[in-house]
């Protein structure tokens, strides 16, 4: 049953006239509300977007996060050397060193670009 009270079915021969096969002529109100909310949310989240900071290195532009990541890997290697020099044993190095690199990356990004 549509919004206007008539039940239009598909025009193909042998089409069933049961309510499951009735074509809706208007979109559902819940779908419209969800679409409006999604559009408003997307507009609010995208209003603060701006161009990403980048560095010109030998004529090629590199994103700033890549520079922060490279520096973080160097800092992680230095931290590993310091921990080894102080004879501190890391229990799970496969989780510790990538986490330390991520920590350094985010800290450098926040320190220099925010």
């Amino acid at each position: 049953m549509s919004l206007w009270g008539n039940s239009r079915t598909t025009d193909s021969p042998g089409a069933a006239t049961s309510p499951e096969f009735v074509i809706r002529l208007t979109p559902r109100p819940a779908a419209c509300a969800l679409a409006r909310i999604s559009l408003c949310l997307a507009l609010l989240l995208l209003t603060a977007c701006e161009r990403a900071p980048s560095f010109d290195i030998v004529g090629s532009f590199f994103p700033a996060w890549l520079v922060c990541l490279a520096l973080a890997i160097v800092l992680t290697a230095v931290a590993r050397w310091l921990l080894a020099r102080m004879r501190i044993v890391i229990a799970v190095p496969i989780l510790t060193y990538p986490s330390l690199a991520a920590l350094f990356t985010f800290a450098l990004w926040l320190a220099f670009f925010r």
Side-chain angles (χ1 to χ4, degrees), residues 67-89:
V67 175
C68 289
L69 180 65
L71 287 173
I73 291 172
V74 170
L75 286 174
T76 302
V78 169
R80 183 187 180 284
W81 178 78
L82 285 174
L83 289 172
R85 184 153 173 105
M86 290 189 283
R87 298 176 199 237
I88 297 174
V89 178

Side-chain angles (χ1 to χ4, degrees), residues 49-104:
C49 291
E50 59 185 44
R51 209 182 96 166
S54 58
F55 293 106
D56 182 15
I57 300 174
V58 192
S60 195
F61 289 101
F62 290 95
W65 64 265
L66 193 61
V67 175
C68 289
L69 180 65
L71 287 173
I73 291 172
V74 170
L75 286 174
T76 302
V78 169
R80 183 187 180 284
W81 178 78
L82 285 174
L83 289 172
R85 184 153 173 105
M86 290 189 283
R87 298 176 199 237
I88 297 174
V89 178
I90 301 296
V92 187
I94 197 165
L95 294 176
T96 304
Y97 294 121
S99 298
L100 196 57
L103 175 75
F104 285 140

Side-chain angles (χ1 to χ4, degrees), residues 42-52 114:
L43 289 175
L44 284 175
L45 292 176
L46 295 177
T47 55
C49 291
E50 59 185 44
R51 209 182 96 166
R114 292 290 165 198

Side-chain angles (χ1 to χ4, degrees), residues 1-44:
M1 185 65 70
S2 71
L3 183 65
W4 295 284
N6 59 356
S7 61
R8 295 181 52 174
T9 59
T10 57
D11 293 332
S12 62
T17 57
S18 65
E20 300 93 39
F21 295 103
V22 173
I23 298 174
R24 287 189 65 87
L25 298 176
T26 59
R28 296 181 181 189
C32 289
L34 182 63
R36 284 188 195 119
I37 290 171
S38 299
L39 179 64
C40 290
L41 185 62
L43 289 175
L44 284 175

